[in-house]
Amino acid sequence: MSARPRSRVHLAVCLPAAATAAPPVGTGAESGARFRSRSRSEASSRSPVDFAAYERLARTAEAGHLDFLLLTEPAGPWPREHPGRGRDLDVAGRPEPLTVLAALTGVTERLGLAATVDASCTEPYELARELATLDHLSAGRAAWHLTGTGDARDGGNFRRGGCPDPAERDRRAAELQRVAAELWDSWPSPDEPARPFAHRGRHFDIAGEFTVPRPPQGHPVLIQDGNTPRERESAAARADVVVTRHGTLEEARARYADVKRRSARHGRGPDDVRVMSGVGVVLGETAAEARERAAVLRRREVSPLHAILTLERIWGTDLSSYDPEGPLPDIDPVPDPVLPRGRSGRGDTVALAEKWRALSREKGLSIRETVIEAGSTPSFIGTPAAVAEELVRFVRNGAVDGFVLVPDPTPGGLDEFVDRVVPLLQERGAFRTRYRGTTLRAHLGLPEPAQTR
């Protein structure tokens, strides 16, 4: 079963929780020097723990009537090949996303607020309590993006070392979601006390009483990735929003139909799941100017040091002796010292390395150029009118229900889209001119889940 093509576009914005500190080019000592050389006022506005940057982004998203803001964050330090050097090689601080979102409830009224949750490193009771609290504080605007870490070093930050294989991660994530729902549903109504709960499962064995009334949305909105068939099967069974990798119109239509077919097999209706594509947007007064801006942005986002660090995540070893403007390493990726090869969450690293080598040979690209070419966020590039038309075309042709925007990662990176593209979508009748509901489920047109207890 597939859903009838929709006429309205759903829009959200996604940023790493630390992205307000500096764009991705700001990974490395060179960015630290640039950051420290700014004036006091500039540096303050770019601090990863300065609330003003998050507030500005959220207010801009709400002014544009976007569905939600998603803060993503890995569970462990990056880069993994240089333990102990996180402050030198990464942004100087990684705020906890749910805490940031709780603060944003005080400066927003309608915008949905979502955070990445790592199922491999999270316990259900504390997670359910945090999300229920956020949903109450925001009057029904909370969401969570459920993922599972693939890096053994991330797991070492928590109560367990290592990490399970992908199938076991999926089982843990599914059980985590079920237990959270059981906890939320254990409180029958605001006027009644919580019922005792008990869960005995493969990954969790807990019992007691929940301490927060059932969330205003019933369950906070659940977001999951759907890039691979395995991810789409998992997301189709339980997610409210499935985020897929962007591609051609036909590729997107095939993924969209696949999600809807899978969700139907799980007994869900076509409007129980929204499919959104992650994209960047680069605007210009002309198509040529937009392409030129896109090229500049790609090079800015991938500094020479960032290119080497990106390659190290595939090769699994220190590549600091390699010239980022030179050819790719001729050595194969090394097995993870903790996990078997291919189970580090980076997929088959040997195959990926060969794919990148083939790209490099075909186009004569250096390490940095290869990372730019292979790792760039898929984007709509063009004039505001052309971009608005493409967004509408994808939705009205049954390829997606909407888009999760990945803007230029600076405090003002979303402004141009809201100022120049959103009004054109509204003129076409393809996007709301005001919020008509108060909860995130209302924005997305999703039903409230039935209470299971």
Side-chain angles (χ1 to χ4, degrees):
M1 179 189 300
S2 61
R4 176 173 54 85
R6 305 180 67 83
S7 61
R8 292 294 183 96
V9 179
H10 288 286
L11 293 173
V13 60
C14 170
L15 280 181
T20 54
V25 67
T27 55
E30 56 177 305
S31 68
R34 285 200 305 273
F35 179 78
R36 288 187 294 271
S37 69
R38 294 191 183 101
S39 69
R40 178 179 297 273
S41 61
E42 287 177 305
S44 174
S45 68
R46 305 275 283 192
S47 166
V49 291
D50 182 2
F51 182 67
Y54 296 102
E55 180 180 2
R56 175 177 178 181
L57 174 67
R59 287 186 183 277
T60 300
E62 188 162 86
H65 304 102
L66 271 60
D67 291 311
F68 61 86
L69 161 66
L70 168 62
L71 295 182
T72 64
E73 179 69 359
W78 188 86
R80 60 195 292 276
E81 282 69 35
H82 299 278
R85 294 189 61 199
R87 288 184 62 82
D88 296 330
L89 299 175
D90 199 0
V91 292
R94 291 185 178 274
E96 194 284 309
L98 283 170
T99 305
V100 175
L101 296 182
L104 289 175
T105 64
V107 297
T108 56
E109 295 180 354
R110 293 290 185 269
L111 180 70
L113 302 170
T116 292
V117 171
D118 192 323
S120 301
C121 307
T122 303
E123 295 299 317
Y125 186 90
E126 60 186 346
L127 170 67
R129 187 170 62 167
E130 289 167 349
L131 286 169
T133 300
L134 180 63
D135 209 44
H136 280 286
L137 290 175
S138 64
R141 296 184 283 132
W144 52 314
H145 173 218
L146 183 61
T147 66
T149 184
D151 195 323
R153 290 168 178 79
D154 293 351
N157 281 356
F158 299 89
R159 287 180 286 276
R160 62 187 63 82
C163 66
D165 63 28
E168 194 63 25
R169 291 203 306 272
D170 285 350
R171 284 190 284 268
R172 192 177 202 276
E175 188 174 347
L176 177 70
Q177 188 272 333
R178 288 196 304 273
V179 180
E182 290 171 11
L183 291 168
W184 292 324
D185 289 346
S186 69
W187 201 300
S189 74
D191 300 326
E192 299 177 79
R195 301 186 183 117
F197 69 85
H199 177 91
R200 305 281 186 270
R202 182 187 185 100
H203 293 280
F204 307 109
D205 184 351
I206 60 175
E209 291 185 2
F210 199 48
T211 58
V212 184
R214 194 168 190 258
Q217 296 184 103
H219 303 163
V221 169
L222 176 61
I223 304 167
Q224 289 187 255
D225 295 328
N227 294 318
T228 67
R230 178 177 62 82
E231 289 176 337
R232 286 195 290 276
E233 181 63 25
S234 172
R238 58 180 185 262
D240 299 301
V241 176
V242 181
V243 180
T244 63
R245 185 178 299 114
H246 189 64
T248 65
L249 179 65
E250 289 309 311
E251 290 170 341
R253 290 183 68 180
R255 280 193 292 267
Y256 185 88
D258 188 37
V259 170
K260 298 297 182 176
R261 282 194 298 267
R262 292 173 187 269
S263 64
R265 290 202 298 268
H266 288 282
R268 309 181 71 190
D271 286 330
D272 289 346
V273 183
R274 295 284 172 261
V275 180
M276 302 179 74
S277 174
V279 296
V281 172
V282 183
L283 303 176
E285 295 301 328
T286 65
E289 180 184 311
R291 289 192 297 270
E292 182 178 349
R293 286 188 65 187
V296 170
L297 283 171
R298 290 191 185 109
R299 288 193 64 82
R300 191 189 75 181
E301 292 171 357
V302 182
S303 69
L305 178 58
H306 181 85
I308 294 296
L309 295 176
T310 299
L311 219 62
E312 288 179 342
R313 292 182 66 84
I314 299 172
W315 262 256
T317 190
D318 185 347
L319 300 176
S320 57
S321 63
Y322 282 79
D323 179 3
E325 305 302 339
L328 270 66
D330 55 7
I331 60 173
D332 282 335
V334 300
D336 190 286
V338 179
L339 297 173
R341 183 186 295 272
R343 292 192 176 182
S344 64
R346 295 171 288 157
D348 186 336
T349 54
V350 174
L352 183 57
E354 186 50 45
K355 179 180 178 180
W356 281 33
R357 286 195 189 110
L359 175 65
S360 177
R361 288 192 299 267
E362 177 188 353
K363 297 190 175 183
L365 304 178
S366 67
I367 288 175
R368 186 183 182 194
E369 291 167 337
T370 301
V371 172
I372 291 171
E373 181 81 9
S376 298
T377 300
S379 299
F380 288 113
I381 301 170
T383 64
V387 167
E389 193 60 39
E390 277 295 279
L391 296 174
V392 173
R393 186 170 75 96
F394 268 72
V395 171
R396 291 185 174 168
N397 280 278
V400 292
D401 293 312
F403 302 89
V404 179
L405 307 172
V406 184
D408 178 16
T410 61
L414 185 63
D415 294 16
E416 190 173 21
F417 181 88
V418 167
D419 291 342
R420 306 188 66 189
V421 178
V422 166
L424 296 177
L425 294 173
Q426 292 168 332
E427 288 174 9
R428 288 165 168 78
F431 191 64
R432 66 172 67 92
T433 56
R434 62 182 177 85
Y435 291 109
R436 289 180 168 79
T438 60
T439 70
L440 178 53
R441 286 187 178 275
H443 303 341
L444 294 167
L446 294 168
E448 181 175 321
Q451 193 157 354
T452 58
R453 288 170 57 96

